[in-house]
Amino acid sequence: MTPTVQAHPEDAAQLAAFEARIAAGEYIEPKDWMPERYRRQLIRMMSQHAHSECVGMLPEGNWISRAPSLRRKMTLIAKVQDEAGHGHYIYCATETLGASRDELLDELHAGKAKYSSIFNYPTLNWADIGVIGWFVDGAAIVNQTVLAKASYGPYARSMIRICKEENFHKRQGYEICSVMSAGTDAQRAMLQDAVNRWWWPSLMMFGPPDAASSNSDELLRWKVKRYTNDELRQRFINLTVPQAQAINVQLPDAALAYDTTSGNWQSGPIDWDEFWAVVKGNGPLNRERVAARKAAHDNGAWVRAAAEAYAAKQAARATAAA
Ligand code: BYC
């Protein structure tokens, strides 16, 4: 149950001014007054987003050593590196709300923090890398282009560069798919298999249906979200169906049909039991993903220690020279 903001009497004027700024379409900046509930909602959503970017490196990173050519390897390395950068931008933006990165990472490593359900599925063959770029980055673009207009300035601004990079990611993924679709029977079969496995989890990235979305009302009112989960999911489906047709790939939904009245491609039912199982930690790879992130963090301890020692040395030199 989402608690509502209980304004203290002395905060009523500030709350009214805040709501008026949101209504006027102004950005809220770190030093501006904001309701505690707005701050907490942003920390929740932004930290989950940052974690998703970092955990999202794992399924694809797994294929760097097995990319089928040097060009594919270089592109995949660049993409995975970009995702690390996205995580860093969003952790930095979350820090402006008073949440320390260490605290957020501790929650991730303890298995308490959420991150996007999609990254708990395995990457079984090379076509998965193409389909992740096409579907997962494609879904991320639909979601994040709108978040670039979120009412919290640092979050919105972090989305601008991220969306540019996601566009490159999506194109490289779709290009892998289009090359495979024009390839041998075995390549076409690999591609179709990957599409069959990733389609439904990609639709789940947009979150539960609106009726089950506990945070949406508040986030829409505060213009953090601009569209509902179902609206963005529909937009993604409408964009993706013609792309699948263009490369002769079947989306695994027998009920998928174009509705002339609404102009939407209507999909069959989504398995929300599967979604909630994955969100609650029981997806195919939840435990492995958290363990891999924790191991990466632990193995990087010496790098952080060296960076801190170097910064301290530089600071001491600067003080001595002053
Ligand atoms: N997975 O009230 P709702 C990328 C949770 S990475 C897990 O609708 P909200 C990439 C939700 O947190 C980019 N949990 O929530 C990286 C909430 O639980 P709590 C990923 C989910 O916040 C590497 C509960 O369910 N994108 O592109 O209003 C390689 C009820 O949901 C999910 C982002 O992170 C889910 N899919 O809306 C390649 C986008 N969905 O916290 C690519 C930023 C829902 O109340 N986030 N839950 O316990 C958002 O836009 C929104 O947070 C969501 C959910 C639409 C995801």
Side-chain angles (χ1 to χ4, degrees), residues 17-265:
F18 173 85
E19 301 274 6
R21 289 186 65 196
I22 296 275
E26 285 182 35
Y27 286 110
I28 306 302
E29 297 298 339
K31 289 184 181 164
D32 295 346
W33 186 89
M34 63 186 77
E36 181 59 13
R37 179 69 191 161
Y38 176 82
R39 194 177 71 84
R40 293 208 163 275
Q41 272 286 28
L42 285 170
I43 292 174
R44 179 193 67 81
M45 183 168 158
M46 291 163 63
S47 62
Q48 288 179 11
H49 192 163
H51 295 327
S52 303
E53 300 283 357
C54 291
V55 179
M57 288 190 281
L58 296 168
E60 291 174 284
N62 185 34
W63 277 87
I64 290 173
S65 61
R66 288 173 285 166
S69 69
L70 182 59
R71 174 173 170 255
R72 294 292 187 210
K73 192 190 287 276
M74 284 164 49
T75 314
L76 186 56
I77 289 171
K79 179 183 192 296
V80 172
Q81 186 173 286
D82 285 352
E83 308 298 358
H86 299 176
H88 285 302
Y89 308 150
I90 307 173
Y91 282 127
C92 284
T94 315
E95 283 175 319
T96 66
L97 293 156
S100 83
R101 191 180 299 217
D102 286 344
E103 170 195 347
L104 300 177
L105 289 176
D106 284 349
E107 283 183 11
L108 177 67
H109 300 151
K112 291 185 193 154
K114 288 195 173 73
Y115 56 84
S116 186
S117 48
I118 191 79
F119 301 117
N120 293 304
Y121 292 85
T123 38
L124 302 180
N125 71 44
W126 173 252
D128 289 38
I129 302 307
V131 173
I132 288 178
W134 176 20
F135 287 173
V136 177
D137 290 275
I141 292 167
V142 168
N143 174 275
Q144 292 171 173
T145 307
V146 181
L147 287 176
K149 297 194 172 60
S151 58
Y152 188 56
Y155 192 29
R157 286 190 290 275
S158 73
M159 288 301 124
I160 293 168
R161 177 161 173 180
I162 290 178
C163 284
K164 285 184 185 159
E165 293 178 350
E166 301 291 23
N167 266 298
F168 152 68
H169 299 165
K170 193 211 150 178
R171 279 159 200 244
Q172 67 82 36
Y174 190 60
E175 198 245 351
I176 291 173
C177 295
S178 74
V179 168
M180 290 188 81
S181 79
T184 62
D185 287 351
Q187 287 170 321
R188 275 196 292 277
M190 272 170 72
L191 174 61
Q192 187 61 56
D193 170 57
V195 165
N196 294 349
R197 285 181 288 106
W198 288 95
W199 176 246
W200 294 106
S202 299
L203 298 188
M204 294 173 195
M205 280 179 75
F206 293 92
D210 293 350
S213 171
S214 48
N215 299 294
S216 275
D217 285 352
E218 204 167 39
L219 293 174
L220 286 163
R221 183 161 61 86
W222 280 329
K223 296 188 181 170
V224 175
K225 279 178 155 181
R226 299 284 181 149
Y227 295 96
T228 70
N229 297 355
D230 287 334
E231 285 168 342
L232 291 180
R233 186 171 12 253
Q234 186 63 60
R235 177 163 170 68
F236 172 72
I237 296 170
N238 290 349
L239 288 168
T240 309
V241 171
Q243 294 162 5
Q245 291 169 335
I247 57 169
N248 294 315
V249 161
Q250 291 292 317
L251 295 175
D253 180 357
L256 194 65
Y258 188 70
D259 176 49
T260 46
T261 314
S262 62
N264 288 327
W265 282 92

